[in-house]
């Protein structure tokens, strides 16, 4: 139980285009989801906290107009990287809190490469 | 100062060795502590929670020293399959995001 499905697993896009990443909780309701970014040999850095039905809370230094987060339902949060540039190439991963026990479940991550 | 600091390693050890990882955290109000394991290009997976009394899970022992804001992980009888990056993780309070250390890379060789 408590599975979070994230897709796509990997994506290559051209500079200037937008990419949407989806994160779904398959068997539980996730009122809160978190989006992280991980550059090679770096730690997972929190980008934003996504709450169902309200605006996301972004961490300092993360551009909210560039990284659009939508959490319109209790089972789906999306991250859209707008006007992607090569420096946005990274591993993006979502996490959700399991309401039943408060544990954290991670999606399998999305490797974004912008060329 | 980073919120969670770890020695990045890498630690290169032979099979059967005992290896210890250390971690410090800066927020004295942090409530929960964990060790996660991350394999290359994969999502992190929970290895174990860390309690003040210390806890053990098979070959893995975790300890927490709140006064020193220090967390440790001990792996005994290392296996090849233990090769991975070990992430020290802290949560300030329930319902908030996990804060990750940079990770310590372990490579176990035969």
């Amino acid at each position: 139980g408590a599975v979070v499905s994230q897709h796509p697993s990997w994506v290559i896009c051209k500079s200037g285009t937008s990419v949407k990443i989806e994160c779904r909780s398959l068997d539980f309701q996730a009122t809160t989801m978190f989006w992280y970014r991980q550059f090679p040999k770096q730690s997972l850095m929190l980008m934003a906290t996504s709450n169902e039905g309200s605006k996301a809370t972004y961490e300092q230094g993360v551009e909210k107009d560039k990284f659009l987060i939508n959490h319109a339902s209790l089972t789906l949060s999306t991250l859209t990287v707008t006007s992607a540039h090569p420096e946005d190439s990274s591993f993006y991963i979502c996490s959700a809190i399991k309401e039943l026990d408060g544990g954290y479940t991670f999606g399998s991550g999305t490797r974004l490469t912008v060329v | 100062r980073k919120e969670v600091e770890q020695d990045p390693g890498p630690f290169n050890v032979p099979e059967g060795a005992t290896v210890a990882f250390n971690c410090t955290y800066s927020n004295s109000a942090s409530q929960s502590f964990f060790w996660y394991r991350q394999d290359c290009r994969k999502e992190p997976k929970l290895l174990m929670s860390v309690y003040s009394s210390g806890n053990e899970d098979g070959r893995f022992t975790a300890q927490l020293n709140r006064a020193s804001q220090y967390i440790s992980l001990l792996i005994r009888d290392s296996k090849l399959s233990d090769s991975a990056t070990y992430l020290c993780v802290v949560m300030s309070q329930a319902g908030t995001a996990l804060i990750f250390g940079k990770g310590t890379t372990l490579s176990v060789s035969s």
Side-chain angles (χ1 to χ4, degrees), chain B residues 11-37:
Chain B
F11 284 62
N12 299 304
V13 303
E15 276 185 291
T18 295
V19 61
F21 302 141
N22 303 318
C23 167
T24 58
Y25 60 95
S26 61
N27 185 353
S28 60
S30 298
Q31 294 187 357
S32 301
F33 310 89
F34 312 90
W35 283 100
Y36 273 72
R37 168 190 170 133

Side-chain angles (χ1 to χ4, degrees), chain A residues 13-80:
Chain A
C13 70
K14 290 185 177 181
S15 187
T17 61
S18 295
V19 174
K20 180 185 283 188
I21 301 170
E22 291 190 351
C23 188
R24 291 181 186 273
S25 55
L26 298 185
D27 51 1
F28 67 101
Q29 292 183 333
T31 53
T32 302
M33 287 190 177
F34 306 100
W35 285 96
Y36 293 85
R37 177 169 55 181
Q38 185 178 34
F39 292 108
K41 299 186 178 181
Q42 299 296 315
S43 61
L44 278 77
M45 295 301 296
L46 179 66
M47 298 177 67
T49 300
S50 168
N51 293 297
E52 185 268 334
S54 63
K55 291 183 179 180
T57 303
Y58 290 81
E59 295 299 299
Q60 191 174 12
V62 178
E63 299 174 57
K64 63 179 181 180
D65 294 330
K66 181 173 180 62
F67 298 99
L68 301 178
I69 292 173
N70 185 287
H71 195 159
S73 77
L74 287 170
T75 59
L76 175 65
S77 178
T78 62
L79 167 67
T80 301

Side-chain angles (χ1 to χ4, degrees), chain B residues 2-18:
Chain B
K2 293 182 181 177
E3 289 195 63
V4 181
E5 295 207 58
Q6 296 180 247
D7 179 349
F11 284 62
N12 299 304
V13 303
E15 276 185 291
T18 295

Side-chain angles (χ1 to χ4, degrees), chain A residues 81-94:
Chain A
V81 183
T82 63
S83 187
H85 290 283
E87 57 265 31
D88 298 323
S89 299
S90 187
F91 187 58
Y92 293 85
I93 189 163
C94 65

